[in-house]
Amino acid sequence: YDILNYTEITYDDLYVQLSAEIADGVESLSQKDIKKSIEMLLTQPYEIQMVKLANFIVIISTKFKDYSDEKKSAYLKEASFILSCLKNSNIYLSNRLEEKIKEYKEI
């Protein structure tokens, strides 16, 4: 979903070639500002919100161990905020993310 951040594809490209719904979903997932991202995600269908939860689970489960302590702390804070805002989109993913956050807070 980071296609808007790491390629030359634009929101308008997605809008024209796919649909407004897809362009809006991708844009909400691509926001680097967490507060703006949450504002946008809360207007999206649950499926889009679940992508955000799943992304945090994957990052914490894989490359998180390579982060600096400062980056880990910031990321856990962000993950906790995301979880609190998107918890109702999918109970399974919410529980998994909550478990991952707890695991790394204990380390």
Side-chain angles (χ1 to χ4, degrees):
Y1 68 76
D2 274 340
I3 194 168
L4 298 179
N5 295 326
Y6 299 112
T7 71
E8 293 182 19
I9 295 173
T10 66
Y11 173 90
D12 291 339
D13 294 333
L14 296 174
Y15 186 94
V16 170
Q17 294 177 18
L18 300 170
S19 70
E21 183 179 63
I22 291 173
D24 289 346
V26 171
E27 182 182 40
S28 68
L29 291 166
S30 298
Q31 288 298 315
K32 294 195 182 237
D33 179 299
I34 190 66
K35 289 183 181 180
K36 185 172 183 178
S37 178
I38 285 297
E39 287 174 10
M40 294 176 77
L41 282 165
L42 290 174
T43 68
Q44 296 297 311
Y46 283 140
E47 293 84 1
I48 301 296
Q49 296 173 14
M50 290 186 306
V51 171
K52 191 69 163 183
L53 291 172
N55 182 62
F56 272 79
I57 293 166
V58 169
I59 290 172
I60 291 174
S61 298
T62 57
K63 53 187 171 177
F64 192 74
K65 64 183 180 290
D66 298 329
Y67 290 174
S68 68
D69 288 344
E70 184 178 318
K71 188 170 181 176
K72 283 179 185 176
S73 179
Y75 199 84
L76 287 173
K77 184 177 180 181
E78 188 173 325
S80 295
F81 179 66
I82 291 286
L83 178 62
S84 70
C85 296
L86 303 181
K87 193 171 200 155
N88 293 329
S89 65
N90 183 283
I91 194 69
Y92 174 77
L93 292 174
S94 296
N95 287 340
R96 286 281 290 148
L97 181 54
E98 191 168 31
E99 289 170 13
K100 291 296 177 186
I101 291 168
K102 284 180 185 176
E103 280 178 33
Y104 274 93
K105 280 186 175 179
E106 292 173 359
I107 295 175

